[in-house]
Amino acid sequence: MSQGRRVAVVVFPGSNCEHDAVEALERLGATAELVFHRETTLGNADAVVLPGGFAHGDYLRPGAIARFSPVMSAVAEFAAAGRPVLGICNGFQILTEAGLLPGALQKNQGLKFLCTTVELEVASNTSVLCSGISIGTRLSIPINHFEGNYTCDPVTYDQLVLEERIVLRYVDNPNGSLGSIAGICNEGGNVVGLMPHPERACDQLLGSEDGCVLLRSFLEAA
Amino acid sequence: MSPAEDIDPVLPGGRVSPAEDIDLDLHRQLGLTDEELVTIEKILGRPPNRLELAMYSVMWSEHCSYKSSRVHLKRLPTTAPHVLVGPGENAGVIDVGDGIAVALRIESHNHPSAIEPYQGAATGVGGILRDIFTMGARPIALCDSLWFGPTGGTRADASDAADTARSRWIAEGVVSGISGYGNSVGVPTVAGEITFDPCFASNPLVNVMCVGVLPVERLVLGQASGAGNLAVLLGSSTGRDGIGGVSVLASAPLEGGDGSSAKRPSVQVGDPYEEKRLIEACLALLDAGVVVGIQDLGGAGLTCATSETAARGGMGMEVDLSAVPRREAGMEPFEVMTSESQERMLAIVPPEKMPRVEEICARWEVAASVVGRVTPGGRLIVRDTIGGIELASVPAASLADEAPLYERPMSAPSWDAAVRADAAEHLPPPGDCGSDLLALLSDPSVSDKSWAYRQYDHQLFLNTVVPPGGDASVLKLKAPGLPATNKGLAISVDGNPRWCALDPRAGTAMVVAESTLNVACTGAVPKALVNCLNFGNPEHPTVMWQLSEAIDGMSAACRALRLPVVGGNVSFYNESGGVDIHPTPVVGVVGLIDHLLRPPPGMALTDGSVLFLLGPPGTGLGGSRWATSLRGFTGGTLPALNLNMHVSLIDIVVSLVRQRLVCGVHDISDGGMAVSLAEMAIAGGVGVAVSGIEGHAELFSEAPTRVLLAAAPAEAESVERFARDSGVPIRMIGSAGGDRIRVAGLLDVTVATAREAWSTGFPE
């Protein structure tokens, strides 16, 4: 049950999807609280979300400065304890920069920002984001990024495949991501990063509720 | 040549005194006339020194003072019971009920975008955002109206390769700039229009509109009150960028070609990350109740912010220049006072609240420096340090409010009568209306704009119910800290220089009519309008005549629609090589939906639905895209607009949409009924069969006050009855089905062919 789960939504200066994440999580019955990046603890949170946006202006590289924000030590400890951490878009970029997820996000093939709704396919259900969802399930979820082109070295890629850590793949690769990767998880399956925005697909009035499936799974793992 | 560079950097020391070493024509280099200099001397009782002259030159520039347009703008209707703040403040504000207010404003950034498209557009976005959060509103939507020269590929495009390449560079740069700044600053870009026309080849237009929302009680004005209160400069440091932007760039014609590159140092450079933190810090300051007034620094920089806040509050201000954080050493006082460095705000803070201001700003890593204090007496005094020597001393109101007003000579163009005497209706009919339809659909002004809006985050804040691409975009009325409602906002921005070139008065009225109808198509009642009046050189009597006519047309339409004009912007000197652009008044209309529980029907056709034409018959081709783009014919008269009928039509459309009696709705405008039918078919992925259309004239006419409605067969009778009862003509013209767009005796193309033409109009 996702009811009553406490989620810490981290706010860096330059984050902009924090209120959207709170709204979507609360719609699913969770209690979400904004935690400023200067905090050094996550309070009594059951789960952590790093939302989308442009933390520290994305200056240098997306996530490159955010990884040094004080709150990230607490996030790393939380992750090490096996507890659920979700990085959405810029949050995914931060998780890779912080070394909590492997690989990196490069500029989109085509060198343009892309805001559009894409089809995703669940590639693995071993992580907190997709537990209980059948592999091959199609989800319609928006993307919104300039640097969403996932890449990693061949050894890491083989390892991701072997360990079933590719969580979501694009049906029609929009950005040049290696292996059409839209989201991956760590070895424990408790830290997940994805470029698409599930919180933008939690309201039929906005066009899709497919994001609820993912966020509900995440909350239930908390 | 930048006048800023021509000023001797050494200011006269000591107390303010006549500066005998001033070049005799310095005021002219700064864009002031001899008469204006005399007026300044009269105000001061002595000749101004260099700094004072620089301050007057920016504040009395056309861009800041509206000196040529103000006498005309007075004729616009600006009041209504729901208007909380009308023109003259940083943004207009309306009350939408439930304790919620909506702030809106539109502004041009034309000249900077011509010179440096990315930064010009980016800082245009930054500037309009500050106008909105200055009012205490959280910006929730950006929209833009963009006008470029042809980028090649269209049939009517006779421009040479260098021109089209340059226009493409400008168009792509502007779109990237909006994307780069808007996405990063975290405000969705939800609506807009992009049009290509040869008259914008040397002088593109970039108009940006912003809509913000606020709890009514957070409304704050840009006023300096309370002697002894502190003037606190927030945000970025002050550099040499944008010096004289309002006077050098925005208030003089572009020379075109290489002349414009010399002006590049006058284009400001934006930092969206600084602006994002500034937004959060300013809204937090207002929530904490620690500022009594706040104002953004845009055109004319610190001079504008200090003089305007002081003048509005009926106070004076002392400014300590040494306290202004600078980006570089050796800046002269006139540079500090007129710099247009971006991402800066001026807050008026009671001294005892300053520690809390510092605390909030530190959280958001925003610099806060006390640079002055409010004084009684109405004088703006600039000193080099606190208690130091006076570098300038002028009445604040003389800068802000007392620029000379001009009733510039006006005359209808000599060619006006000849143009109107000609008639587009006499053009030979097309051999095949189908190929003309495909040519219109593939015109980049008509074709799919997703190449642009895919680059904009248009979904942020989880409000976007109807994304860009529809008649109007629709947003939930929702933001953190706002009371919960089911209300929605509809937003449309529209302009049409084809119509306005032919007849600025009727054309502008038709633009208002179209924009309000766009909003109505979503079930929203139009509530307020903002305008951005893009015109040529006001020293040309024909341009002043065009402006005056346009204002009269807008005024008439807004009065009929009971639509208040709550803010605006005038951009003159859109002229290059002595040629003025077509008159291009752009309007932004915001409408209100009371219960946004389901998405409005939109334009997509549903298989089996019945199609109606609602509105009076229209066959006039004057000013139509068919006549101008496909036939290169720019004469004739515009089809008539019956404002009373238009008001009734809007009422009916809103009611039909709200009662969900229609399952598809789309107005007839650019490209006429043929293009509207095709767009509905493409959106729905289903064909349509129409009959009883009187030849190509009815097919391609852009006569106003017409809407295509699709209804389920079961609702068809109700729709018809409803319209008849309201006295607006309605006629069943066909039904949706199959995979072809067919108009009996006129055209027959497949939906797939139409889609192909429409989706490849702007080759990437």
Side-chain angles (χ1 to χ4, degrees):
Chain A
M1 275 300 292
S2 46
Q3 214 63 30
R5 293 291 197 280
R6 291 176 306 254
V7 186
V9 177
V10 177
V11 183
F12 301 90
S15 295
N16 61 33
C17 299
E18 69 273 26
H19 295 294
D20 297 1
V22 168
E23 184 182 326
L25 293 164
E26 296 200 328
R27 187 181 270 265
L28 295 173
T31 311
E33 217 163 286
L34 299 176
V35 175
F36 203 56
H37 76 125
R38 292 223 188 100
E39 302 290 331
T40 50
T41 69
L42 295 165
N44 54 3
D46 300 314
V48 176
V49 170
L50 306 187
F54 293 73
H56 300 281
D58 271 3
Y59 290 152
L60 191 55
R61 284 191 310 276
I65 301 175
R67 63 172 283 217
F68 294 109
S69 277
V71 76
M72 286 308 292
S73 306
V75 171
E77 280 171 32
F78 195 83
R83 311 191 64 191
V85 176
L86 177 62
I88 301 169
C89 195
N90 193 224
F92 184 15
Q93 295 163 337
I94 295 168
L95 289 174
T96 60
E97 285 287 341
L100 294 173
L101 288 173
L105 284 311
Q106 327 176 79
K107 284 198 164 65
N108 296 340
Q109 207 172 50
L111 300 179
K112 293 249 163 75
F113 192 98
L114 274 180
C115 178
T116 185
T117 297
V118 298
E119 287 286 299
L120 301 176
E121 194 169 274
V122 174
S124 143
N125 52 17
T126 58
S127 77
V128 291
L129 194 65
C130 293
S131 60
I133 308 174
S134 309
I135 290 176
T137 301
R138 295 273 177 107
L139 301 169
S140 181
I141 295 185
I143 55 168
N144 184 68
H145 57 246
F146 203 140
E147 286 103 350
N149 176 356
Y150 183 81
T151 189
C152 61
D153 61 77
V155 176
T156 306
Y157 182 75
D158 290 344
Q159 202 175 351
L160 289 175
V161 172
L162 196 70
E163 296 172 2
E164 295 178 39
R165 287 165 56 192
I166 297 171
V167 176
L168 294 160
R169 289 191 204 262
Y170 300 109
V171 172
D172 188 6
N173 193 344
N175 56 21
S177 284
L178 180 68
S180 293
I181 287 178
I184 57 166
C185 65
N186 67 347
E187 286 170 30
N190 63 309
V191 178
V192 181
L194 79 168
M195 288 313 296
H197 286 262
E199 82 281 9
R200 293 187 178 191
C202 290
D203 181 354
Q204 203 51 58
L205 192 50
L206 304 182
S208 170
E209 287 185 313
D210 288 358
C212 295
V213 179
L214 300 175
L215 294 182
R216 203 173 283 125
S217 161
F218 176 70
L219 288 173
E220 279 167 9
Chain B
M1 179 171 60
S2 164
E5 288 159 15
D6 295 322
I7 302 172
D8 183 342
V10 182
L11 278 159
R15 284 194 57 84
V16 172
S17 60
E20 55 290 328
D21 58 336
I22 275 187
D23 297 344
L24 282 177
D25 66 343
L26 177 61
H27 63 282
R28 285 188 215 141
Q29 294 169 30
L30 291 171
L32 292 166
T33 65
D34 294 355
E35 296 73 34
E36 286 168 346
L37 178 64
V38 170
T39 309
I40 293 167
E41 288 175 349
K42 215 175 283 170
I43 290 169
L44 297 180
R46 58 175 168 77
N49 64 31
R50 284 159 194 275
L51 173 59
E52 291 163 341
L53 205 51
M55 290 164 67
Y56 278 103
S57 77
V58 288
M59 289 304 291
W60 287 15
S61 67
E62 188 63 60
H63 183 85
C64 286
S65 71
Y66 298 90
K67 56 189 171 190
S68 302
S69 55
R70 242 201 281 189
V71 293
H72 299 289
L73 295 171
K74 282 191 298 205
R75 300 199 296 273
L76 292 168
T78 58
T79 55
H82 62 284
V83 174
L84 298 176
V85 178
E89 272 282 346
N90 292 292
V93 182
I94 56 169
D95 187 340
V96 294
D98 299 329
I100 301 172
V102 171
L104 58 156
R105 163 106 188 184
I106 189 168
E107 225 174 35
S108 62
H109 231 215
N110 304 340
H111 294 94
S113 303
I115 291 165
E116 217 296 69
Y118 185 99
Q119 289 298 342
T123 54
V125 172
I128 197 71
L129 287 170
R130 287 191 296 280
D131 283 328
I132 295 299
F133 68 82
T134 284
M135 308 301 294
R138 177 173 285 278
I140 62 161
L142 288 163
C143 320
D144 20 68
S145 177
L146 310 178
W147 304 81
F148 305 117
T151 56
T154 62
R155 204 185 278 192
D157 176 14
S159 323
D160 71 31
D163 276 356
T164 56
R166 184 167 179 276
S167 288
R168 187 156 186 122
W169 172 72
I170 292 176
E172 294 190 348
V174 164
V175 168
S176 311
I178 291 167
S179 164
Y181 198 100
N183 297 348
S184 180
V185 79
V187 178
T189 300
V190 303
E193 57 174 349
I194 303 178
T195 312
F196 302 88
D197 187 294
C199 84
F200 303 110
S202 298
N203 203 313
L205 304 181
V206 174
N207 292 180
V208 191
M209 176 179 172
C210 184
V211 175
V213 292
L214 66 156
V216 172
E217 68 273 10
R218 196 165 71 194
L219 181 60
V220 62
L221 301 178
Q223 280 186 5
S225 57
N229 281 344
L230 307 174
V232 183
L233 188 58
L234 306 175
S236 201
S237 52
T238 298
R240 284 195 168 108
D241 50 335
I243 288 173
V246 290
S247 47
V248 182
L249 278 186
S251 302
L254 283 171
E255 281 133 36
D258 296 338
S260 57
S261 63
K263 288 179 174 173
R264 209 161 282 164
S266 283
V267 178
Q268 315 88 323
V269 175
D271 178 354
Y273 176 52
E274 180 78 43
E275 180 110 334
K276 169 66 175 167
R277 288 179 284 119
L278 201 52
I279 293 175
E280 299 304 332
C282 288
L283 293 179
L285 290 173
L286 294 171
D287 275 337
V290 292
V291 301
V292 297
I294 193 161
Q295 161 100 17
D296 71 307
L297 274 73
L302 205 46
T303 302
C304 179
T306 51
S307 64
E308 283 193 357
T309 49
R312 285 201 198 105
M315 302 297 282
M317 196 172 286
E318 289 217 15
V319 178
D320 163 20
L321 273 193
S322 68
V324 177
R326 320 217 176 151
R327 231 169 261 177
E328 50 195 309
M331 285 181 70
E332 294 305 324
F334 82 87
E335 293 178 313
V336 177
M337 285 303 290
T338 64
S339 160
E340 294 183 8
S341 286
Q342 298 290 290
E343 291 92 25
R344 297 179 300 159
M345 301 285 283
L346 187 73
I348 309 300
V349 178
E352 68 278 9
K353 303 277 175 63
M354 194 54 205
R356 181 79 184 115
V357 169
E358 284 170 339
E359 197 182 312
I360 289 170
C361 288
R363 176 181 169 89
W364 290 105
E365 300 171 26
V366 165
S369 319
V370 177
V371 299
R373 57 192 66 235
V374 180
T375 55
R379 253 191 132 66
L380 175 62
I381 297 173
V382 180
R383 296 182 190 275
D384 63 345
T385 55
I386 296 176
I389 49 172
E390 279 183 21
L391 302 175
S393 173
V394 303
S398 72
L399 286 170
D401 305 325
E402 289 162 22
L405 292 186
Y406 293 128
E407 296 207 32
R408 293 193 186 273
M410 310 192 293
S411 64
S414 53
W415 33 262
D416 191 52
V419 162
R420 294 193 194 196
D422 219 345
E425 293 73 18
H426 296 150
L427 289 168
D432 174 14
C433 289
S435 70
D436 275 9
L437 169 61
L438 295 178
L440 287 171
L441 287 172
S442 64
D443 184 322
S445 300
V446 176
S447 69
D448 185 17
K449 303 298 188 305
S450 62
W451 65 269
Y453 64 74
R454 256 202 324 261
Q455 297 181 54
Y456 307 148
D457 182 350
H458 52 262
Q459 303 168 328
L460 187 67
F461 301 152
L462 309 186
N463 287 338
T464 313
V465 175
V466 177
D471 282 323
S473 296
V474 174
L475 302 179
K476 289 180 168 186
L477 180 59
K478 169 174 73 58
L482 223 56
T485 75
N486 287 323
K487 287 181 175 166
L489 294 177
I491 310 171
S492 184
V493 282
D494 299 277
N496 194 319
R498 278 184 287 115
W499 297 344
C500 295
L502 215 48
D503 183 341
R505 182 188 293 245
T508 305
M510 280 169 63
V511 167
V512 174
E514 184 194 344
S515 203
T516 48
L517 183 51
N518 281 339
V519 160
C521 283
T522 68
V525 175
K527 286 290 180 188
L529 178 144
V530 285
N531 61 40
C532 196
L533 305 172
N534 306 279
F535 285 80
N537 186 337
E539 294 152 37
H540 298 166
T542 52
V543 168
M544 284 314 294
W545 174 82
Q546 289 168 335
L547 176 85
S548 174
E549 288 288 294
I551 285 173
D552 285 337
M554 184 177 294
S555 187
C558 287
R559 281 178 209 281
L561 290 154
R562 295 176 192 281
L563 189 63
V565 178
V566 298
N569 170 233
V570 180
S571 172
F572 275 131
Y573 296 100
N574 292 292
E575 170 200 19
S576 190
V579 180
D580 295 306
I581 60 160
H582 290 332
T584 311
V586 169
V587 302
V589 171
V590 168
L592 188 66
I593 299 174
D594 287 334
H595 301 283
L596 181 59
L597 303 173
R598 281 196 286 170
M603 67 174 75
L605 278 181
T606 323
D607 200 356
S609 57
V610 179
L611 206 63
F612 291 99
L613 172 64
L614 177 68
T619 53
L621 286 170
S624 66
R625 182 166 292 286
W626 179 83
T628 50
S629 291
L630 295 191
R631 296 293 183 272
F633 183 88
T634 52
T637 50
L638 293 176
L641 165 65
N642 177 336
L643 282 168
N644 290 333
M645 178 76 83
H646 196 77
V647 170
S648 304
L649 180 91
I650 293 222
D651 284 349
I652 298 170
V653 170
V654 169
S655 300
L656 289 172
V657 169
R658 288 189 172 183
Q659 295 173 46
R660 307 205 75 88
L661 287 172
V662 289
C663 58
V665 50
H666 190 22
D667 77 318
I668 292 176
S669 57
D670 207 349
M673 186 196 297
V675 164
S676 294
L677 278 172
E679 286 171 340
M680 293 178 83
I682 292 167
V686 61
V688 59
V690 168
S691 59
I693 303 302
E694 281 180 44
H696 74 288
E698 188 170 16
L699 206 52
F700 296 115
S701 168
E702 294 174 11
T705 316
R706 294 181 306 148
V707 185
L708 293 174
L709 301 173
E715 308 286 10
E717 209 190 312
S718 319
V719 171
E720 220 167 349
R721 191 172 349 104
F722 197 90
R724 289 243 163 80
D725 290 350
S726 318
V728 174
I730 187 165
R731 141 179 156 223
M732 193 193 286
I733 58 168
S735 60
D739 61 359
R740 307 186 76 84
I741 300 165
R742 285 179 299 167
V743 178
L746 291 172
L747 71 86
D748 184 353
V749 298
T750 66
V751 177
T753 315
R755 181 196 298 281
E756 174 67 16
W758 175 77
S759 57
T760 53
F762 188 85
E764 284 185 76

